[in-house]
Amino acid sequence: MMKFAGAVATLALLSACASTNDDVGLDTTASNDTNVGAQPTGVEPGSQTDLEQAAGHRVFFAYDQYTLTPQAQSTLAKQAAWLKEYPQTRVLVAGNCDERGTREYNLALGARRAEAAKSYLVSLGVDASRITTVSYGKERPIDPRSTEQAWSMNRNSTTTIQGVGA
């Protein structure tokens, strides 16, 4: 019984000595990890910058493919959640390709990439009427170099805000 009483007394003393961040005057609000969805300073909620920072605005594809990778699906799931948070926002999903292949072939492939992204967003509950698609083929590269790294960056679909309204 004495051992138990001694253990309780020791715990009581230790807890009395413990301090919290509030006790020592630290401001814990700036780096609190529980504020994951909090807006960064200076970012307007519902803006393109907000979309890019909160969800990502671009997904990438393998060479000559328009199937969504697990990473692309994850990004699109974040976009869908973001779009549900801003139900009046309309977006454009643009399909892009690398420089290899003919103009016509890349326009068709870019259209399939944009449609794949749109279809996935719709499958996650985003109203299809809020999403417009376009293909830019190889006409709007992110990286103009002719390297494997540049080509992999240029094979994408990009989501941009087109407007807010009814």
Side-chain angles (χ1 to χ4, degrees):
M1 184 69 163
M2 290 300 275
K3 286 183 182 180
F4 178 75
V8 169
T10 303
L11 286 174
L13 285 172
L14 287 174
S15 66
C17 293
S19 65
T20 65
N21 289 339
D22 292 336
D23 293 337
V24 292
L26 294 178
D27 179 10
T28 59
T29 58
S31 62
N32 188 347
D33 288 338
T34 60
N35 291 333
V36 174
Q39 294 295 322
T41 304
V43 175
E44 182 180 339
S47 67
Q48 181 68 33
T49 301
D50 183 27
L51 170 65
E52 292 174 18
Q53 290 180 359
H57 71 297
R58 190 170 283 135
V59 297
F60 298 93
F61 296 87
Y63 175 71
D64 201 29
Q65 297 292 312
Y66 59 95
T67 55
L68 297 169
T69 65
Q71 185 175 4
Q73 291 176 359
S74 174
T75 299
L76 290 169
K78 291 175 194 170
Q79 286 183 18
W82 188 91
L83 286 164
K84 288 177 185 176
E85 192 174 333
Y86 299 99
Q88 300 302 312
T89 301
R90 296 182 316 275
V91 294
L92 173 71
V93 178
N96 299 286
C97 301
D98 64 38
E99 67 185 31
R100 299 171 292 179
T102 66
R103 181 177 187 277
E104 293 76 21
Y105 179 82
N106 282 326
L107 283 171
L109 180 57
R112 289 191 295 271
R113 288 175 175 167
E115 275 301 318
K118 176 183 178 176
S119 293
Y120 197 74
L121 290 169
V122 170
S123 78
L124 296 173
V126 179
D127 186 342
S129 68
R130 297 173 55 199
I131 307 168
T132 304
T133 61
V134 66
S135 174
Y136 293 124
K138 60 183 177 179
E139 304 304 317
R140 295 189 180 190
I142 296 171
D143 188 334
R145 298 175 301 149
S146 295
T147 65
E148 190 59 48
Q149 183 181 16
W151 293 332
S152 68
M153 291 295 297
N154 294 333
R155 296 188 302 259
N156 67 73
S157 73
T158 303
T159 303
T160 54
I161 295 174
Q162 291 299 290
V164 178

